[in-house]
Amino acid sequence: MIIKMLFISTFLLTSFYGYSQEIKSDSLLKVLKSELARENFYDLKKQKQINLLRYSLLHTNKEDFDIQFDLCSKISDEYHSFKFDSAFVYVKKMVDLSIKYKQKEKLIQSELRLGVTFLNSGFYKEGFDVIENIDTNSLSKAHKTDYLVLRARLNGGIGEYDNDAYFSKLYYKKSENDFKNAEITTPPNDFEKTINLAFLPESQRNKNLTPQFFYNLIIQRKMPEHTVAMVATHISYSYTGQNKILFLALAAINDIRSSTKETLAIFLLAQELFKLNKTSDAYIFMQEAAKNAKFYGARNRAVQIESILPLVASKLIDEKQHEKDKLLIGILIFMIVAVLLFFLLVIYRKQLLKIQANELEIKGKNEELKTVNEKLWESSKIKEELIGLFFKTCSSYIETLDKVKRKTQRNIKLGKYNEADEILNNIRIKQEKEQLYNTLDTVFLTMFPNFIIIFNKLLKPEDQIWPKSGETLNATLRIFALMRLGISDLEIIAKILDYSVSTVYTYQIRIKSKALVPADVFEQKIMEIKFTDNRGFG
């Protein structure tokens, strides 16, 4: 049997190899979420189909068993996995019609369907009551297989519902025996055999029998959506983890498209996702499963969901709280870092301001030092000029005195007293002073060529003082020229210029009173007149 099954699988592998396409469970979960948003569209489509069938049944011949039974069967098929109470109503009508018209085969078919309807809603006792009333000796091969499968599912369902270590095991054993007997009664077809290969031990399984192979096998089979869902759910039991999610997601998608509310796939999918700590998705799908169970009226499924949903919700709340805590911790850390950065910036700013203040102070000191150096240099140059002038003048006067002395002595020795007196009378003190002043003026204007112009800019045009033709400096300009040279003592100025102190003072007061600037500022402006070294000094 295994060799035959492997041969079939090898053939199918070759057939589907060209259609193989890697499908990830995450991509199917995205499709599932998008289909959940369209669930109402599929439900309305289903309801529209049911309404058409109900309308046909309402207007059919009440004496025509075949048409009535066929329509009730179709309506019950539509309601079978959609809504329990409505499915029960139309299956019951099928039973009643079969009894009324004494259709034994149809009655067995209807009772088996009634048993399945009870099974789907968790009415296990009622389901067992139905199958106990069926005469198994008169069952056809197909009906016997359906009977065994129904009883197997009832035993499995009640075992799962009891969830007891002892009794559940007994029910599961009975279920397993019935499934085996059903397989003996009606052997699986080639497709079913290939699907069953997924449950072979890994050591006996062809290495090409991958989840992707079974996925492609289901898709390429072109089965109804509800059948795809059932086959995919069945295969999911042979896998774990992402592979299990792959088939359960496929099943759940097709359950939505077929408006199947009595669905196990989305519930199992939620459980598997919960195990893999994908709590958010698990909660979404568990809520959908709960909604479907309530809509259909599946009491057994509702009980299962009610026992698990609080755990999922609690874990989701814990995860969200954990995320909030992480966010709060992150915000707190950010705030601490921000505060630290703020203080560092404050400290940095203080240090920067201090550095800038120091730089400004240094710059100011440098400017002061530069000014002092300029004044020292200027003072040095002025002193050089004045000392040079002093030695030159003194040398000239000594030479002149020496000549006068010699001439006078010679005339005295010779008794030429009149000529000696004439020599002494020829010494013109006033002219010598004027020559000294002219020399002083020339040297001064050499050092301060712009003195006269700048001096007069401090006065009104009508009060300006300009040297006369042939003059270098007049008395007023000479007083302020001596002040610019650094001689501020009025008595010294008076002696140099052969004036009285009061005369010098009067000159100063008169000019300051006519100045365009205040008196105290006037002297400062005079001292600010730039020294110019036009003679190659420095």
Side-chain angles (χ1 to χ4, degrees), residues 132 239 258 278 306 341 361 372 424 475 491 498 535:
E132 285 175 2
Y239 292 104
S258 61
K278 295 185 177 181
E306 286 173 5
L341 285 175
E361 185 177 354
V372 170
L424 292 174
E491 188 174 348
D498 198 19
R535 300 179 64 181

Side-chain angles (χ1 to χ4, degrees), residues 2-66:
I2 292 175
I3 294 173
K4 182 180 178 183
M5 291 170 72
L6 289 173
F7 174 77
I8 294 168
S9 68
T10 303
F11 173 76
L12 288 169
L13 278 167
T14 305
S15 301
F16 286 104
Y17 184 78
Y19 298 101
S20 179
Q21 185 179 5
E22 188 69 20
I23 300 295
K24 299 292 184 181
S25 58
D26 288 343
S27 61
L28 280 185
L29 289 176
K30 289 179 182 178
V31 174
L32 174 57
K33 289 176 183 178
S34 67
E35 289 299 277
L36 281 175
R38 303 183 70 233
E39 185 178 21
N40 189 53
F41 166 77
Y42 294 119
D43 291 348
L44 289 174
K45 185 178 178 182
K46 166 76 80 172
Q47 193 61 56
K48 184 177 180 180
Q49 179 64 24
I50 291 172
N51 291 339
L52 289 173
L53 291 171
R54 291 176 64 186
Y55 180 84
S56 298
L57 178 62
L58 185 64
H59 294 85
T60 193
N61 185 356
K62 302 302 180 183
E63 300 301 322
D64 192 327
F65 168 78
D66 291 332

Side-chain angles (χ1 to χ4, degrees), residues 161-344:
Y161 181 79
D162 284 354
N163 195 24
D164 178 80
Y166 178 75
F167 292 105
S168 293
K169 190 182 293 184
L170 296 177
Y171 285 117
Y172 289 144
K173 185 66 177 175
K174 290 179 181 179
S175 176
E176 186 180 351
N177 289 334
D178 281 337
F179 275 125
K180 286 181 179 178
N181 290 330
E183 190 172 330
I184 293 170
T185 303
T186 305
N189 57 33
D190 290 343
F191 178 74
E192 291 169 340
K193 288 177 183 178
T194 305
I195 292 298
N196 290 334
L197 291 175
F199 294 88
L200 286 175
E202 193 169 348
S203 59
Q204 300 179 23
R205 194 186 306 169
N206 188 310
K207 65 178 181 179
N208 292 319
L209 292 173
T210 61
Q212 199 62 46
F213 163 76
F214 288 109
Y215 178 88
N216 289 330
L217 177 64
I218 295 171
I219 296 301
Q220 298 298 327
R221 184 75 177 180
K222 303 297 182 183
M223 297 179 290
E225 290 160 342
H226 185 55
T227 306
V228 170
M230 289 191 296
V231 173
T233 302
H234 177 63
I235 292 180
S236 71
Y237 284 100
S238 67
Y239 292 104
T240 58
Q242 293 298 326
N243 291 328
K244 189 178 187 74
I245 290 173
L246 176 72
F247 289 104
L248 289 175
L250 176 63
I253 290 167
N254 283 276
D255 278 335
I256 292 171
R257 291 172 178 171
S258 61
S259 290
T260 299
K261 303 301 180 183
E262 196 291 305
T263 170
L264 184 61
I266 201 163
F267 172 64
L268 294 176
L269 176 61
Q271 282 186 308
E272 194 65 25
L273 289 169
F274 183 65
K275 291 176 186 176
L276 296 175
N277 293 320
K278 295 185 177 181
T279 315
S280 181
D281 286 345
Y283 183 70
I284 293 171
F285 298 140
M286 191 66 76
Q287 281 189 312
E288 178 65 16
K291 185 181 76 173
N292 288 342
K294 183 179 179 180
F295 182 88
Y296 180 80
R299 299 184 308 166
N300 57 332
R301 191 79 63 242
V303 171
Q304 287 178 304
I305 294 169
E306 286 173 5
S307 66
I308 297 174
L309 186 57
L311 298 176
V312 179
S314 176
K315 187 175 180 182
L316 182 62
I317 291 171
D318 289 342
E319 287 181 355
K320 288 186 176 180
Q321 186 60 45
H322 181 63
E323 289 178 1
K324 286 182 180 179
D325 292 342
K326 284 171 66 178
L327 180 62
L328 288 174
I329 292 170
I331 293 172
L332 182 61
I333 292 171
F334 173 78
M335 289 178 67
I336 291 171
V337 172
V339 170
L340 288 174
L341 285 175
F342 175 75
F343 280 112
L344 287 173

Side-chain angles (χ1 to χ4, degrees), residues 389 393 397 431-441:
L389 175 62
T393 304
Y397 284 146
Q431 290 179 357
E432 292 295 333
K433 282 186 178 181
E434 288 297 328
Q435 187 177 351
L436 175 63
Y437 295 152
N438 288 333
T439 303
L440 179 62
D441 293 345

